[in-house]
Structures are given as C-alpha cells and as structure tokens.
Amino acid sequence: MPNAPEPNAPSGPADAAGPRAAGRVSAVRGAVLDVVFETGPLPPVEDALWIVREDGSRVAAEVEAHLGATTLRALSLASTAGLRRGERVEARGGPLDVPVGDAVLGRLVDVGGTAHDGGPPLDTGAPRRPIHRQAPPLAALRGSTDIFTTGIKAIDLLAPLAQGGKAAMFGGAGVGKTVLVMELIHAMVERYQGISVFAGVGERSREGHEMLSDMRASNVLARTVLVYGQMNEPPGARWRVPLTALTIAEYFRDEKHQNVLLMIDNVFRFVQAGAEVSASLGRMPSRVGYQPTLASEVAALQERIVSVGDAAVTAVEAVYVPADDFTDPAVTTIAAHVDSMVVLSRAMAAEGMYPAIDPIASSSVLLDPLVVGAEHAAVATEVRRLIEHHRELQDVIALLGVEELGAGDRVLVQRARRLQRFLTQPFAVTEAFSGLPGRSVAIADTVAGCKAILAGECDDWEERSLYMVGTLEEAREKERASNVAGAAAVRAPGGPA
C-alpha cells in the first residue's frame, strides 16, 4: 500500500518535524548501509535514519559510525531486500523513539513500536520515548531486600529473587528455561498487580503465538506489553528489542510510579545479535569470536534495570548457555550483573527432576540470615550440604552399591534423595503434558517441608511420595494413600504373602 510505513519504521508526531539533514544510500551490504549526506551536518551515532523507498515506504536504520566528513555507516532495523544505491535518506533528528504508556498495554509490538497483533494501529497521540538513555545515577538508586515470592520451591528456598533486582535463568538447550519463565508469569498473575513487559529476543514465531494465546487465556494481557524481535529479522532489530522493552518499563516506573516485571527471553540472543552487528561493521572479534564491546553492551542494558524512587523494575532473564559451557564469556559477563542465579542442570533434567534447578550452582545475594531469616538460611545451607555430600558419594555408589556405605552415610544419601524429589513440583504451564495440576508453594511451607526431611521425619517414606508434589502435607497424604493401597493388596485373595 503506498505511503504505508514498513514494520519497524518509527512513526508519530515527530514525522511532522522540520527539515532534517538528507542524504543518499551509497552502498548496501546486507543490513549495513553507507550513506552520503548532501546537506546538513552528519547525524550523531545512535541517531535514527529513514531510508525512503520510491513507493514512499520507509525503512528505519541507526547510525553506527562516521566514515568521513560527509559519509556514515548505518545499521538497518528492517529487511533491506530491494534497497538500491541512491535511495533517499532522512535524518530522524534523534534516537529511535517508541510509543509508551497505556496505549501499548495488551499489545504485541516490534522494535520500532509498530503493533503486530492484528489489532488496530497504536494511537498516534501516545507519548514516545527514545530507546537510548543513560542509566540513573547511583545516588538515585533504591536498594531493596524484599523477597519476590515465586511459589517455586527450589527458587524460593535456594535462590530467592529480590523485588527490584535482577534474576537470570542459566541453562543449555532444552533444559526448561522458557518453561520456567512462563511458569513465573503464570505464578505471578494472582499475587503481582504491577505491569509486565516481555521482551522476546530472537524468538520463534511459534513461541510468540503461544505466549500471546496463554496471556489472553489467563486474562493478564491487559497489564502486559509484548515486545518481539523474531529470529528472521535482521540482527539490528534483535539487538535493540531489549532496549525498546526497557524504555516502556522505565516509563511506567518513572512517570506512572508503578512496579514493573521485565522478562527477557533470551539475553544470549541479544549478545549474539550484537556479535553479528559487530562482524558486519568489520570490527575485530574478541574472545571466542564475541564482539570487543561485549562487556559495555551488556552493562548498558543491565545498568538501566534498577529501582528508582517508590517504583521498581524487577527483571527475570533467561540465558542460553552454549554447549553447557558456563565459562563462556557471554555467560560470565551476564552473570556479573544479576542478584540471583538459577542454574538449570542437564543431568537433573535427564533424571526427570523438574524444574531441573541445580541446588549447588544456584545462588542469590538475598540468601542471608539478615534478609530471609536464620531458619530459612540454615535450612538452605543444610539442604545444599546434604545434596553435595550425596554427589561426592555417587561414584562409590555406582561402583559398589549403597549397601557398602556406612550407616550414617546411607541415612544422609536417603535424605538427600528425598530432598531432591521434594524440590520438584508440577507446573501449571505443563499441565497439558504431565496431567498434573500446577502447584504454588509458600516459602514457609517449603522451609518447613525441607526441615522435616532433614530431621528424619520422612526416612521411612517411599521416595515417590515426595516426587512432584507441593507441600509436605500433600506428600504425607500421598504416602498414606500408598500405604492403604499396599495393605489392601496384601489382604486381597491371591495377594502377596
């Protein structure tokens, strides 16, 4: 349709601004464009450009480097298919800006703020904010030690999340990162009354449709904004999607004074897109082929996720771990910025221990007696000690059998196995596959259940009674039902002697 903006093209009141610097495309190399400006000074780095096609449609781009007095290099935020040398370029007069506020609630938008959910176009009168801005100064930040309850036993006990903090879910392919993020969204529908912003970085279109359908079914879409940069979009779009989502979150925090839950899936794809951009711009690669600006790019994103004044931005981020290598530069760089690390284990997933949260590798700065209380901290420490002791003995058990252990070690191993099973629980988002209704468990019930297992109250229980349950009381009912069924089988004619 003539004069219709391309997806990702900025639109709004700024379109009617006065004359801007103008130029022409001199080279097109994939998503990288060289532009020669005929009039006006060169736009600054990170300013937005419009490439105007012959039919009047526009493609958004961003200035990345100045090559000379009249030439710059830009990165397209949309497909460059069909672009030719000589296409007209107009300076935006500032960074890419996106619509924010109530107008985007309940909508699915792209990196430029264009709606793609089949609904009406966004209100052109909606306030707009640039996606590039400085992080708040250190003096303005507000620390918080309030626990962000998730209802997931392994997280609340061993890696509690902070209200206004940053938590990351680290794991390789197929160990349950996205399922865990989805369950967190589902679990927080009842107890969390703020605004949710979801950033899908390099997401598959199937995942986007599933997320949109789930949120509509859960009646939480009205308080949620979905910002997507799909896998098939250019690296520039995937690279800037988290900044668009963060800009929307910052508006609700600063202007509306509302708490915001920011979910990013997946931060590794943000780093990956930055590496693609860096290579396209001809920069020398750094460690393991990553961009030399890896640390500064991650910091520019993470340092904006903070609490200011009376409102907080709480971030839950999924992080893909390539080849299960937790020493990967991208993983270690991201881990340096988070308060809580939830590490997913492939070995636990293979054993059916879902969620496959590694109790030893997972950690949180909030797991301190002064924050969570002495009892919680002591129980968490003892749970870790017992499971770690069990892992140390696994080689011996595999070679000689558990019967060769001393009496004391046998008791500890049995309790560790029961603890591992008690820390599993069914999720609401997997109910269609598992057939088990989801469970959300209060922190007090989780601590009480683990404390009872550590004290030996469940030593004579069957391990399966503790598997995939919520509270210990539910496990007790399961054990009682198992005993009744066993006794009935013994009494039945032809039953075991």
Side-chain angles (χ1 to χ4, degrees):
M1 186 173 65
N3 300 322
E6 288 280 327
N8 301 323
S11 59
D15 292 2
R20 302 288 186 189
R24 298 281 176 183
V25 174
S26 62
V28 181
R29 302 181 190 88
V32 177
L33 312 170
D34 287 353
V35 181
V36 176
F37 272 78
E38 305 154 347
T39 61
L42 288 180
V45 172
E46 293 187 347
D47 262 24
L49 305 174
W50 290 326
I51 294 93
V52 185
R53 297 178 185 266
E54 288 184 354
D55 62 1
S57 62
R58 295 184 298 222
V59 175
E62 187 178 274
V63 178
E64 297 299 331
H66 289 185
L67 304 181
T70 59
T71 308
L72 58 79
R73 184 156 289 165
L75 183 70
S76 174
L77 302 182
S79 173
T80 55
L83 274 185
R84 298 179 298 182
R85 293 175 60 188
E87 300 274 26
R88 179 175 172 78
V89 179
E90 298 176 357
R92 173 70 177 78
L96 176 70
D97 58 10
V98 295
V100 295
D102 295 339
V104 295
L105 287 177
R107 306 303 301 272
L108 186 151
V109 300
D110 63 14
V111 67
T114 304
H116 290 279
D117 52 7
L122 292 176
D123 182 9
T124 55
R128 303 179 73 88
R129 293 291 184 273
I131 65 170
H132 294 290
R133 60 180 294 186
Q134 292 294 320
L138 188 62
L141 306 188
R142 174 176 64 84
S144 174
T145 56
D146 295 335
I147 300 296
F148 195 80
T149 306
T150 66
I152 299 172
K153 291 183 286 189
I155 292 178
D156 288 342
L157 177 70
L158 301 167
L161 275 54
Q163 175 82 29
K166 293 186 280 286
M169 316 291 177
F170 293 90
V175 295
K177 296 182 301 299
T178 300
V179 170
L180 199 53
V181 171
M182 289 283 292
E183 181 65 17
L184 284 170
I185 296 171
H186 191 277
M188 293 167 188
V189 169
E190 298 292 334
R191 63 172 64 91
Y192 186 79
Q193 299 301 316
I195 302 297
S196 297
V197 179
F198 181 88
V201 186
E203 289 286 275
R204 304 167 184 86
S205 57
R206 170 186 60 79
E207 294 171 332
H209 283 299
E210 287 177 359
M211 176 74 74
L212 194 59
S213 300
D214 288 344
M215 289 197 166
R216 280 176 174 156
S218 303
N219 296 319
V220 295
L221 192 59
R223 301 199 309 271
T224 305
V225 185
L226 304 176
V227 187
Y228 270 84
Q230 289 181 212
M231 274 186 167
N232 65 332
E233 292 192 58
R238 289 180 273 120
W239 193 37
R240 294 311 190 196
V241 157
L243 299 186
T244 298
L246 187 51
T247 300
I248 294 171
E250 287 172 332
Y251 177 83
F252 285 108
R253 180 194 68 191
D254 299 336
E255 306 295 332
K256 299 287 190 176
H257 305 289
Q258 291 177 286
N259 290 329
V260 183
L261 176 63
L262 175 66
M263 291 155 288
I264 307 176
D265 187 8
N266 185 304
V267 183
F268 178 79
R269 295 199 191 112
F270 160 73
V271 172
Q272 206 171 32
E276 292 179 49
V277 169
S278 181
S280 300
L281 295 174
R283 295 174 184 153
M284 185 78 70
S286 183
R287 284 194 305 156
V288 199
Y290 285 110
Q291 60 270 43
T293 52
L294 171 64
S296 58
E297 286 176 12
V298 171
L301 172 69
Q302 299 288 352
E303 293 302 304
R304 286 173 60 180
I305 306 174
V306 292
S307 302
V308 177
D310 56 353
V313 174
T314 304
V316 177
E317 308 169 7
V319 183
Y320 167 68
V321 179
D324 291 339
D325 179 12
F326 285 88
T327 64
D328 186 87
V331 175
T332 55
T333 302
I334 295 166
H337 290 274
V338 299
D339 307 309
S340 303
M341 286 180 58
V342 179
V343 178
L344 300 175
S345 163
R346 188 172 302 280
M348 292 185 64
E351 293 175 9
M353 300 296 171
Y354 291 108
I357 296 170
D358 189 329
I360 309 303
S362 301
S363 62
S364 171
V365 296
L366 268 70
L367 195 59
D368 184 289
L370 298 176
V371 177
V372 298
E375 184 185 41
H376 183 155
V379 169
T381 301
E382 187 63 13
V383 166
R384 279 205 178 115
R385 188 190 69 81
L386 226 61
I387 293 175
E388 178 65 20
H389 187 61
H390 176 217
R391 289 186 181 178
E392 291 171 357
L393 295 172
Q394 276 183 332
D395 287 344
V396 176
I397 295 170
L399 288 171
L400 304 176
V402 72
E403 296 81 9
E404 295 301 316
L405 297 177
D409 280 342
R410 279 204 303 273
V411 171
L412 294 181
V413 165
Q414 290 167 0
R415 289 178 185 172
R417 288 176 59 87
R418 285 167 172 77
L419 282 168
Q420 286 179 316
R421 281 148 184 76
F422 180 65
L423 291 177
T424 63
Q425 70 189 86
F427 282 172
V429 295
T430 59
E431 185 174 341
F433 310 103
S434 66
L436 299 172
R439 297 286 189 271
S440 180
V441 184
I443 295 178
D445 291 335
T446 300
V447 173
C450 290
K451 189 175 181 181
I453 295 172
L454 290 169
E457 293 182 23
C458 310
D459 284 356
D460 57 346
W461 291 14
E462 293 184 11
E463 290 180 0
R464 63 183 180 181
S465 297
L466 293 157
Y467 180 67
M468 284 293 170
V469 297
T471 63
L472 190 67
E473 189 56 40
E474 185 181 341
R476 183 175 283 109
E477 291 296 325
K478 196 172 173 182
E479 173 70 13
R480 188 178 295 122
S482 177
N483 290 339
V484 169
V490 169
R491 291 194 300 269

